[in-house]
Amino acid sequence: MKGHADSFRLVQKAMFVQTRLSRDRAGGRAMTTEMSTQVPGFDWKTTLFAFEGRIRRQHFWIGWLILLGAGVVAGWIPLLGFVISLALIWPNLAIAVKRLHDIGQTGWLVAIPGVVTIVAVIVGFGTVGISAITNSAALEREDPAAIWALIAPAFGMVGLILLVNLGFLLWIGLTPGTNGENRYGSNPKAAG
């Protein structure tokens, strides 16, 4: 029985040995091994609440899925859910800014979907309002062409909002980060 326990401990230690390739000064590759009991993981505090630094794509998608799940659950709770949804804006911005940093872009680009959404809503309401005023007689007769003229711009604006937001999400979520260090910090892949 002691032999099995020793074998188990040996296998367990072997699982924690990390082999890392590091470049020496001459540009070649040297092999080093080190014992580590720390498995690099998802750091909740830095990933979801800080705007500094960079995160890798995998941690972005983990954070995004966690926030999506929390948002869906919060949507089921009437008043408290609204407050929770407002609180989820901060971590959503944090993970998006850090992903932008990882691909070498400024975090201010995170404003693009918000600005497009606000402008599209204003334009949508404006076109629906103008259409309702100019086609009021046809709307009273329930003319299908007038009804479509009223709601088609709204559908177009909703489509534009969805397209821009989805495109932005896929851009920051799928674009590989810059290799090595950039002005926002060290490569998160090198850290683990």
Side-chain angles (χ1 to χ4, degrees):
M1 197 68 161
K2 185 175 190 271
H4 291 290
D6 289 337
S7 297
F8 179 73
R9 268 190 242 117
L10 184 62
V11 169
Q12 192 176 21
K13 282 184 182 180
M15 289 173 56
F16 288 119
V17 173
Q18 294 180 343
T19 304
R20 295 188 182 191
L21 295 174
S22 61
R23 295 188 185 272
D24 63 7
R25 290 185 183 164
R29 293 184 174 243
M31 196 88 148
T32 61
T33 59
E34 63 183 41
M35 292 291 287
S36 174
T37 56
Q38 254 186 351
V39 178
F42 188 81
D43 182 14
W44 295 86
K45 184 179 174 188
T46 357
T47 303
L48 297 175
F49 299 109
F51 285 83
E52 296 85 27
R54 300 165 58 179
I55 57 170
R56 52 195 303 183
R57 288 178 285 180
Q58 178 184 17
H59 291 175
F60 168 77
W61 286 113
I62 291 170
W64 187 82
L65 288 172
I66 289 169
L67 295 172
L68 176 67
V72 168
V73 170
W76 295 334
I77 307 168
L79 184 60
L80 183 62
F82 177 73
V83 174
I84 292 171
S85 294
L86 285 178
L88 290 177
I89 292 172
W90 183 273
N92 271 301
L93 289 174
I95 63 172
V97 165
K98 283 193 290 253
R99 258 319 281 152
L100 285 165
H101 287 174
D102 190 41
I103 59 178
Q105 302 294 325
T106 178
W108 286 103
L109 291 178
V110 80
I112 291 172
V115 169
V116 169
T117 299
I118 291 169
V119 169
V121 166
I122 291 170
V123 169
F125 275 117
T127 56
V128 167
I130 290 171
S131 180
I133 292 170
T134 57
N135 295 326
S136 62
L139 287 171
E140 287 177 13
R141 291 191 315 268
E142 296 180 7
D143 181 14
I147 293 171
W148 273 110
L150 180 69
I151 62 172
F155 283 137
M157 291 301 121
V158 168
L160 179 66
I161 291 169
L162 291 174
L163 186 65
V164 168
N165 281 285
L166 180 64
F168 186 80
L169 175 69
L170 293 176
W171 175 53
I172 66 173
L174 299 177
T175 304
T178 55
N179 290 329
E181 221 173 283
N182 68 14
R183 64 182 177 174
Y184 301 106
S186 60
N187 189 348
K189 283 189 177 180

